[in-house]
């Protein structure tokens, strides 16, 4: 197996264009366990040294999170309350050791239905930056993850960064994960909420649910139902109709009915947590 | 979890280019230059090439924490990382924390509190305990930290949460917690 550690995006992209199977790796916390007993073959491009993929930068009112940024870096960075949900997800991915190596971009490219990072980033309306030798394109995260372990990443492309757009003033957020334990566990379901108030009323909300459909989904009907509500009135607002975009399955971690019931409760709790901490 | 996976991978074709690399690691303060197969994990480089067998191979999948060591001051699972990815990095293993004659306070506390039974997970537990105390001192929040802006308390709850990436199949958790609390409170 050949190994390359490019230091610029240009070098990484030209390495990826070389003939033969080249695999991209950053933290390795999904790639290496997925090998099982098979050896690595072909070539490996290590993205952790690519300058353009490092660091978190505020720009144009929003933020650019480099593709090699780890969960640990998110936790250590001073970010406004709209990032509390993403930070909560960062504290629940794998273990602390995993958080030190694993990247947000890798979580997206791995495209597991149970990826802990996707609901929080969907609720922040994140976009992905996809670099290729032909230039750079941007896609809403909702259009990037297309199915179970499937993304819109084209051959020759690298997910070079995430972009978080400017958030409404006073936006707060939360993330709740249900697992059979807290750590080193695959989520049963998870919910992330971002919401903001004006004149004592909820002025808008974004709610995303993971592990209850092939791809994590926003809940537009619930978001619409929240607008105009008084925060104190927020009790059990989530109804079965609001969960229409979800298609939970039954598996070893829980039945489909259990997942539906858990999502409704978690949505209500996530909203209260975003509002009241 | 987290990595760039790739849509073109999966073929078994061998690529041209070297399959081994010269890798410079600074291990426990000493520079070591290794010629390793690119596929060698950091764990195997430590154990098989440098004969530092204190770092243990448990699951080899990033789930048990037995292989925990420090890379540039951060704890990682050395089984989930290739040695070649750490060219120039500073690695600290259990051997770098203390020796039988001159134990780290955490090593002494694990002995004093009987924080193990078979001992296989212990080096990883002690590395994580060391990191736990440093992370608490640096004010880095965990999942159970209530106030994200205040310094997290040196509580059993915080220590248990931060040690949660290390599994002990003998079930010595109660004594491990006592050992870590002992050192935390002594500081």
């Amino acid at each position: 197996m050949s190994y390359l550690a490019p230091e610029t995006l240009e070098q990484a992209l030209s390495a990826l264009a070389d003939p033969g199977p080249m695999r991209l790796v950053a933290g390795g916390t999904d790639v290496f366990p997925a090998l099982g007993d098979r050896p690595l073959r072909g070539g490996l491009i290590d993205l952790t040294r690519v300058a353009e993929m490092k660091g978190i930068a505020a720009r144009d009112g929003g933020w650019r999170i480099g593709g090699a940024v780890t969960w640990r870096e998110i936790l250590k960075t001073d970010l406004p309350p709209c990032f509390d949900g993403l930070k909560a997800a960062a504290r629940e991915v794998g273990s602390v050791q995993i958080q030190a190596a694993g990247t947000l971009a890798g979580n997206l490219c791995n495209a597991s239905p149970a990826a802990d990072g996707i609901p929080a980033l969907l609720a922040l309306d994140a976009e992905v930056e996809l670099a290729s030798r032909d230039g750079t394109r941007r896609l809403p995260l909702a259009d990037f993850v297309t199915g179970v372990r499937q993304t819109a990443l084209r051959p020759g492309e690298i997910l070079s960064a995430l972009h978080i757009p400017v958030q409404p003033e006073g936006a707060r957020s939360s993330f709740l994960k249900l697992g059979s334990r807290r750590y080193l566990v695959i989520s049963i379901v998870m919910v992330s909420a971002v919401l903001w108030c004006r004149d004592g009323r909820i002025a808008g909300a974004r709610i995303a649910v993971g592990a209850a459909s092939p791809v994590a989904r926003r809940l537009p009907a619930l978001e619409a139902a929240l607008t105009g509500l008084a925060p104190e009135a927020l009790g059990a607002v989530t109804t079965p109709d609001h969960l229409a975009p979800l298609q939970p399955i039954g598996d070893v971690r829980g039945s489909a009915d259990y997942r539906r019931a858990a999502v409704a409760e978690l949505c209500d709790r996530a909203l209260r947590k975003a509002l009241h901490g | 979890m987290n990595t760039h996976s790739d849509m073109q991978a999966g073929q078994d074709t061998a690529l041209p280019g070297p399959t081994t690399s010269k890798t410079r690691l600074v291990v426990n303060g000493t520079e070591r230059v290794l010629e390793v197969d690119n596929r060698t994990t950091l764990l195997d480089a430590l154990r098989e090439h440098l004969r530092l067998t204190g770092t243990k191979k448990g699951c080899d999948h990033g789930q048990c924490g037995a292989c925990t060591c420090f890379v540039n001051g951060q704890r990682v699972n050395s089984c989930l990382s290739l040695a070649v990815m750490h060219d120039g990095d500073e690695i600290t293993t259990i051997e770098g924390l203390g020796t039988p004659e001159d134990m780290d306070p955490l090593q002494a506390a694990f002995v004093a509190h009987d924080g193990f039974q078979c001992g296989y997970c212990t080096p990883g537990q002690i590395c994580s305990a060391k990191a736990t105390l440093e992370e608490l001192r640096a004010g880095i929040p965990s999942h159970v930290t209530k106030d994200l802006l205040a310094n997290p308390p040196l509580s059993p709850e915080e220590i248990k949460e931060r040690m949660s990436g290390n599994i002990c199949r003998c079930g010595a958790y109660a004594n491990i917690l006592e050992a870590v609390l002992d050192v935390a409170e002594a500081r």
Side-chain angles (χ1 to χ4, degrees):
Chain A
M1 182 198 80
S2 61
Y3 169 80
L4 295 163
E7 293 183 351
T8 67
L9 196 51
E10 195 185 336
Q11 289 169 4
L13 289 167
S14 70
L16 190 56
D18 283 346
M22 299 300 286
R23 180 182 280 260
L24 300 171
V25 68
T29 56
D30 279 317
V31 167
F32 298 139
L35 288 171
D37 293 332
R38 284 167 293 135
L40 274 166
R41 290 180 194 276
L44 198 67
I45 303 174
D46 175 359
L47 296 172
T48 57
R49 292 171 198 255
V50 174
E52 295 94 327
M53 293 176 67
K54 291 184 181 177
I56 301 166
R59 55 168 68 173
D60 307 329
W63 294 264
R64 181 185 187 273
I65 301 173
V69 168
T70 64
W71 293 105
R72 179 68 181 270
E73 288 174 80
I74 290 287
L75 275 178
K76 285 167 75 176
T77 305
D78 194 15
L79 293 164
C82 61
F83 281 93
D84 286 356
L86 186 63
K87 285 195 168 190
R91 288 189 283 165
E92 289 200 61
V93 174
S95 62
V96 179
Q97 292 97 315
I98 297 288
Q99 292 155 18
T103 63
L104 279 70
N107 198 231
L108 303 184
C109 291
N110 190 53
S112 162
D116 286 328
I118 294 180
L121 289 165
L122 277 177
L124 284 167
D125 229 359
E127 288 189 335
V128 295
E129 176 188 297
L130 305 172
S132 73
R133 294 217 288 184
D134 302 326
T136 298
R137 63 181 179 128
R138 273 168 64 162
L139 273 185
L141 176 57
D143 296 338
F144 176 70
V145 184
T146 54
V148 177
R149 307 264 174 203
Q150 288 180 326
T151 69
L153 197 68
R154 294 175 186 151
E157 275 186 335
I158 293 174
L159 201 171
S160 47
L162 306 172
H163 290 269
I164 311 296
V166 56
Q167 300 292 308
E169 201 188 323
R172 305 166 61 90
S173 71
S174 64
F175 170 84
L176 291 175
K177 164 172 163 175
L178 177 67
S180 54
R181 54 181 190 271
R182 273 276 167 73
Y183 43 83
L184 291 170
V185 67
I186 297 175
S187 305
I188 299 168
V189 286
M190 63 215 131
V191 173
S192 188
V194 172
L195 60 78
W196 54 98
C197 296
R198 289 283 170 278
D199 306 322
R201 299 273 164 179
I202 295 171
R206 300 186 211 108
I207 297 145
V209 177
S213 38
V215 176
R217 298 289 300 270
R218 292 257 304 265
L219 298 179
L222 175 57
E223 294 172 3
L226 287 163
T227 308
L229 289 185
E232 337 34 285
L234 212 62
V237 288
T238 310
T239 66
D241 290 351
H242 296 146
L243 308 184
L246 306 179
Q247 303 154 275
I249 58 164
D251 64 10
V252 289
R253 286 179 284 279
S255 67
D257 285 345
Y258 176 71
R259 281 195 162 90
R260 276 188 190 282
V263 166
E265 177 60 29
L266 276 194
C267 284
D268 289 343
R269 289 188 198 177
L271 290 165
R272 288 197 295 270
K273 190 166 177 62
L275 272 173
H276 309 301
Chain B
M1 286 180 281
N2 332 288
T3 350
H4 263 92
S5 73
D6 145 39
M7 299 301 111
Q8 302 103 357
Q11 301 300 308
D12 277 2
T13 326
L15 286 187
T19 58
T20 64
S21 299
K22 187 170 272 191
T23 301
R24 189 182 71 90
L25 304 174
V26 181
V27 182
N28 300 327
T30 305
E31 181 176 284
R32 310 291 296 262
V33 179
L34 300 174
E35 182 79 26
V36 289
D37 186 297
N38 292 332
R39 299 169 295 183
T40 310
T41 62
L42 177 60
L43 174 61
D44 284 339
L46 291 170
R47 288 180 57 85
E48 308 296 333
H49 291 250
L50 298 176
R51 297 288 166 191
L52 291 168
T53 53
T55 307
K56 301 303 185 197
K57 184 181 283 191
C59 68
D60 215 17
H61 269 76
Q63 298 197 334
C64 75
C67 66
T68 301
C69 66
F70 290 87
V71 173
N72 298 331
Q74 283 208 112
R75 55 171 154 157
V76 299
N77 292 321
S78 57
C79 73
L80 287 189
S81 185
L82 300 183
V84 287
M85 296 173 80
H86 294 292
D87 189 39
D89 285 353
E90 290 194 18
I91 316 292
T92 304
T93 67
I94 189 71
E95 290 91 344
L97 295 188
T99 61
E101 296 73 37
D102 181 21
M103 287 195 279
D104 181 271
L106 274 163
Q107 291 172 314
F110 268 66
V111 173
H113 289 274
D114 202 17
F116 43 77
Q117 187 176 46
C118 79
Y120 198 77
C121 71
T122 311
Q125 298 280 3
I126 290 176
C127 285
S128 264
K130 186 113 187 140
T132 288
L133 297 182
E134 282 163 13
E135 288 157 15
L136 278 165
R137 217 167 299 129
I140 297 168
S142 79
H143 180 69
V144 297
T145 311
K146 302 277 186 306
D147 183 349
L148 293 183
L149 300 176
N151 271 347
L154 289 170
S155 62
E157 196 189 14
E158 281 283 355
I159 290 169
K160 283 197 252 180
E161 172 65 22
R162 289 164 195 272
M163 294 293 293
S164 63
N166 291 74
I167 290 170
C168 169
R169 282 293 77 137
C170 302
Y173 296 113
N175 294 357
I176 291 170
L177 177 63
E178 278 181 21
V180 182
L181 268 173
D182 200 359
V183 177
E185 285 161 1
R187 290 188 186 186

